[in-house]
């Protein structure tokens, strides 16, 4: 599998999994979603919010890529978080709308990227102002890995709250290549 195909597959998986996760979360009352559960970001809502925050931060950094990806223009009017736990929505319904918008942007970015752009380094500052310059492909993989990491926490928290998210494996969206 080529890198571009891998990025596009991960973008599809990201959207698919977020749809499942948010649908599962929507079945709980707001109080249960906001309840402190001892996770890195406290609650189910806090964990899902952190993923939105991190995606906004990373997609904002990706906008500085020399290729000037059109897909990232969709984020122009969105608030830019300054903290990793900054609330981006008042409830799961508002957060879901933002998540759908971000996932569409990520899929559009994946469709727009070409191979030559992947090896260009991307210069950015982290949330503490420290400068970095890293491989763009590796930073894209970080975005997807970070999503998977915290979605795993969210599925555990949902399971503890009595909600079954169902199948979460990437394997579920990988096409079967059996001979006819």
């Amino acid at each position: 599998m080529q890198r571009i195909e891998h990025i596009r597959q991960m973008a599809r998986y990201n959207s698919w999994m977020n749809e499942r996760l948010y649908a599962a979360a929507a079945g709980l009352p707001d109080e249960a979603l906001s309840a402190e559960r001892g996770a890195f970001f406290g609650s189910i809502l806090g964990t899902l919010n952190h993923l939105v925050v991190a995606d906004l931060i990373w997609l904002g950094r990706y906008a500085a890529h020399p290729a000037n990806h059109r897909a990232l223009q969709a984020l122009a009017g969105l608030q830019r978080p300054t903290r990793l736990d900054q609330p981006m929505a008042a409830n799961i319904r508002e957060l879901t709308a933002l998540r759908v918008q971000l996932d569409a942007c990520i899929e559009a970015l994946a469709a727009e990227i070409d191979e030559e752009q992947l090896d260009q380094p991307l210069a950015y500052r982290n949330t503490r102002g420290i400068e970095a310059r890293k491989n763009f492909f590796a930073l894209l993989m970080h975005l997807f890995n970070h999503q998977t990491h915290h979605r795993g926490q969210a599925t555990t928290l949902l399971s503890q709250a009595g909600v079954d998210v169902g199948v979460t494996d990437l394997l579920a969206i990988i096409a079967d290549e059996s001979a006819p």
Side-chain angles (χ1 to χ4, degrees), residues 8 12 21 28 35 42 45 49-50 55 58-59 69 76 86 100 103 107 111 139 157 160 168 176:
R8 291 175 183 162
R12 283 190 309 276
L21 192 60
L28 289 174
L45 190 63
N49 181 78
H50 169 68
D55 283 1
W58 278 108
L59 292 169
H69 298 105
Q86 182 174 331
V100 168
D103 287 346
E107 287 206 53
L139 293 176
L157 297 174
Q160 291 170 351
T168 62
D176 187 14

Side-chain angles (χ1 to χ4, degrees), residues 73-122:
Q73 293 172 2
L75 304 176
L78 297 179
Q79 176 187 3
R80 295 287 185 233
T82 57
R83 300 185 338 259
L84 295 177
D85 64 348
Q86 182 174 331
M88 301 306 296
N91 55 50
I92 192 65
R93 292 161 300 287
E94 290 178 13
L95 197 63
T96 299
L98 188 51
R99 177 77 265 160
V100 168
Q101 187 176 1
L102 291 174
D103 287 346
C105 180
I106 291 167
E107 287 206 53
L109 176 63
E112 184 180 342
I113 290 173
D114 65 43
E115 185 68 32
E116 296 77 40
Q117 298 165 359
L118 295 178
D119 291 321
Q120 291 179 316
L122 181 69

Side-chain angles (χ1 to χ4, degrees), residues 11-29:
R12 283 190 309 276
Y13 170 69
N14 187 63
S15 294
W16 176 79
M17 196 54 230
N18 282 333
E19 286 174 25
R20 297 173 60 79
L21 192 60
Y22 276 74
L28 289 174

Side-chain angles (χ1 to χ4, degrees), residues 30-52:
D30 288 343
E31 300 77 30
L33 291 170
S34 298
E36 173 58 46
R37 297 179 184 273
F40 290 154
F41 293 92
S43 65
I44 295 167
L45 190 63
T47 301
L48 296 176
N49 181 78
H50 169 68
L51 284 171
V52 166

Side-chain angles (χ1 to χ4, degrees), residues 10 51 140-151:
M10 292 306 295
L51 284 171
L140 289 166
M141 291 300 99
H142 169 72
L143 177 90
F144 296 124
N145 186 65
H146 183 259
Q147 280 272 348
T148 300
H149 167 68
H150 285 293
R151 275 195 309 257

